[in-house]
Amino acid sequence: MSRGNRQTISYLTRRFREVGLEPNRRHGQNFLIDLNLIELLARSANVGPNDVVLEIGTGMGSLTSLLAEQAAEVITVEIDEHLYQLAREELEQYENVTMLHQDALKNKNHFHPNVLDAIGTALAREPNRQFKLAANLPYNVATPILSNLLNCPFVPSSLTATIQLELAERIVARPNSKDYSSLSVWVQSLCDAEIVRVLSPGVFWPRPRVDSAIIHLNHRNDLREAIPDLTYWHDFVRVMFFHRRKFLRAVAVSAFRDKLTKGEVDEVLGTQDFGPQARSEQLTVSELFDLSEAFRQKLLDKGLATEFEF
Ligand code: SAH
């Protein structure tokens, strides 16, 4: 059966009925039923013959097969036993697809090692291979998946995904807006981020309660190379946004309370261009980065560890 017919609402409902299944809300099962949008997602991911593509949420495998036709290899992960079995039949013919039946995440902060192993093996098979994410993500785990991918052993050259519109807006938000958050800063410090298309609930079955968007994050090596300690930077951003409306000074005094005196915190803040009334939500990514480096240097000068305790 052609891919177009396979992802229509009548086909999906019939297949679910045949095997006595209902879409599972807990697993964020909302299938894209508009073939044009599946194609737009695949096209935006810009997949080529040297690419190893990770897809999280195989579903019935419709995006998977499209990716498999363009990529060197596709690694696709599905948590649901029934969908995994259904997709296996659909994807049998593609020799470059590795299907994993499991939770893609080990916990909120880490991918499952099987997923990392599969990516590592595929990348090592040929020189010049690039790693990309392309997925209609399960919305309950979209944030950890995107966030962890930017700090995992294999750096993706791009990430293209459907996610909740609200999350997409947080990712691309600018300072002084309500959506500007630690996620905005973390993603934008490593990637150029854009919303490719806003999607209404009607393009999915079943319809999600919220609007969605296709997002494209283009990872920039030059940005990554300018960050000397990625884990410290990631943690710094999270800590600074715990209390985004408080004065930065109060947040910093509390964050470094076991390591720096108030006087030392003021000394570091005094080297920056913004005044004492600044709040995290007003600072640009580069202002926050300069601040994080000034604090890191202070910790190093004092011979202290740069880890944060949460
Ligand atoms: N790609 C398909 C399905 C998207 S729906 C399509 O576009 O139609 C999201 C899929 O992710 C569901 O199949 C769901 O079972 C799966 N899923 C949910 N949580 C997961 C997790 N933690 N790890 C892997 N797959 C997951």
Side-chain angles (χ1 to χ4, degrees), residues 7 12 16 24-33 38 41 55-64 76-81 83-84 100-105 115 134-141 145 162 204-205:
Q7 196 77 356
L12 286 171
F16 269 74
N24 185 334
R25 280 208 184 269
R26 191 164 61 88
H27 287 149
Q29 290 175 358
N30 300 102
F31 306 94
L32 250 179
I33 51 173
I38 300 176
L41 175 56
E55 178 191 37
I56 292 172
T58 316
M60 297 280 281
S62 53
L63 176 63
T64 326
T76 184
V77 193
E78 176 53 59
I79 199 168
D80 184 306
E81 163 79 32
L83 283 175
Y84 171 76
L100 299 176
H101 168 220
Q102 59 174 89
D103 190 333
L105 295 169
V115 176
N136 171 20
L137 286 177
Y139 290 179
N140 53 328
V141 286
I145 286 170
T162 51
F204 297 93
W205 177 76

Side-chain angles (χ1 to χ4, degrees), residues 156-157 188-192 218-225:
S157 55
Q188 292 173 35
S189 73
L190 293 162
C191 302
D192 294 327
N218 184 37
H219 180 267
R220 286 193 23 205
N221 283 328
D222 59 322
L223 294 179
R224 175 171 293 244
E225 279 158 18

Side-chain angles (χ1 to χ4, degrees), residues 28-293:
Q29 290 175 358
N30 300 102
F31 306 94
L32 250 179
I33 51 173
D34 183 328
L35 182 63
N36 289 326
L37 293 172
I38 300 176
E39 284 171 354
L40 175 64
L41 175 56
R43 206 163 53 243
S44 307
N46 202 9
V47 173
N50 286 325
D51 293 334
V52 171
V53 181
L54 173 67
E55 178 191 37
I56 292 172
T58 316
M60 297 280 281
S62 53
L63 176 63
T64 326
S65 58
L66 201 56
L67 297 168
E69 282 157 19
Q70 296 159 10
E73 294 189 39
V74 179
I75 292 146
T76 184
V77 193
E78 176 53 59
I79 199 168
D80 184 306
E81 163 79 32
H82 301 289
L83 283 175
Y84 171 76
Q85 295 301 349
L86 287 175
R88 232 163 50 147
E89 294 169 26
E90 312 279 352
L91 297 171
E92 236 175 1
Q93 57 182 303
Y94 295 97
E95 285 176 3
N96 60 344
V97 174
T98 302
M99 296 185 67
L100 299 176
H101 168 220
Q102 59 174 89
D103 190 333
L105 295 169
K106 184 175 88 181
N107 56 42
K108 220 176 110 228
N109 295 317
H110 295 280
F111 275 104
H112 193 284
N114 291 350
V115 176
L116 295 176
D117 284 350
I119 299 165
T121 305
L123 286 173
R125 241 188 295 271
E126 298 268 350
N128 303 325
R129 283 201 163 174
Q130 299 220 41
F131 172 40
K132 291 179 178 164
L133 173 85
N136 171 20
L137 286 177
Y139 290 179
N140 53 328
V141 286
T143 305
I145 286 170
L146 294 176
S147 192
N148 294 344
L149 263 180
L150 293 176
N151 192 15
C152 89
F154 310 107
V155 183
S157 55
S158 69
L159 302 87
T160 312
T162 51
I163 56 177
Q164 314 84 305
L165 178 60
E166 183 221 316
L167 178 59
E169 284 173 339
R170 278 207 287 132
I171 288 174
V172 302
R174 298 294 173 198
N176 288 311
S177 67
K178 73 168 174 25
D179 292 327
Y180 193 55
S181 62
S182 57
L183 186 67
S184 330
V185 176
W186 168 240
V187 171
Q188 292 173 35
S189 73
L190 293 162
C191 302
D192 294 327
E194 65 163 328
I195 291 178
V196 176
R197 181 77 64 88
V198 174
L199 308 176
S200 66
V203 304
F204 297 93
W205 177 76
R207 296 160 74 105
R209 288 193 197 90
V210 294
D211 283 337
S212 304
I214 298 177
I215 195 159
H216 180 74
L217 310 180
N218 184 37
H219 180 267
R220 286 193 23 205
N221 283 328
D222 59 322
L223 294 179
R224 175 171 293 244
E225 279 158 18
I227 302 174
D229 185 336
L230 208 59
T231 301
Y232 165 82
W233 166 236
H234 194 192
D235 290 348
F236 178 87
V237 174
R238 282 175 58 202
V239 167
M240 287 299 140
F241 276 87
F242 279 162
H243 308 284
R244 58 201 303 253
R245 281 175 223 289
K246 275 197 190 166
F247 289 141
L248 207 62
R249 177 175 186 272
V251 180
V253 165
S254 150
F256 293 105
R257 67 190 171 281
D258 299 329
K259 295 179 170 161
L260 304 178
T261 64
K262 285 185 185 175
E264 287 168 331
V265 168
D266 286 334
E267 211 180 289
V268 171
L269 292 175
T271 63
Q272 306 298 302
D273 287 338
F274 45 82
Q277 310 266 296
R279 306 165 205 268
S280 298
E281 61 180 7
Q282 298 167 326
L283 301 193
T284 62
V285 173
S286 77
E287 283 172 328
L288 280 161
F289 179 69
D290 291 347
L291 181 65
S292 84
E293 277 303 291

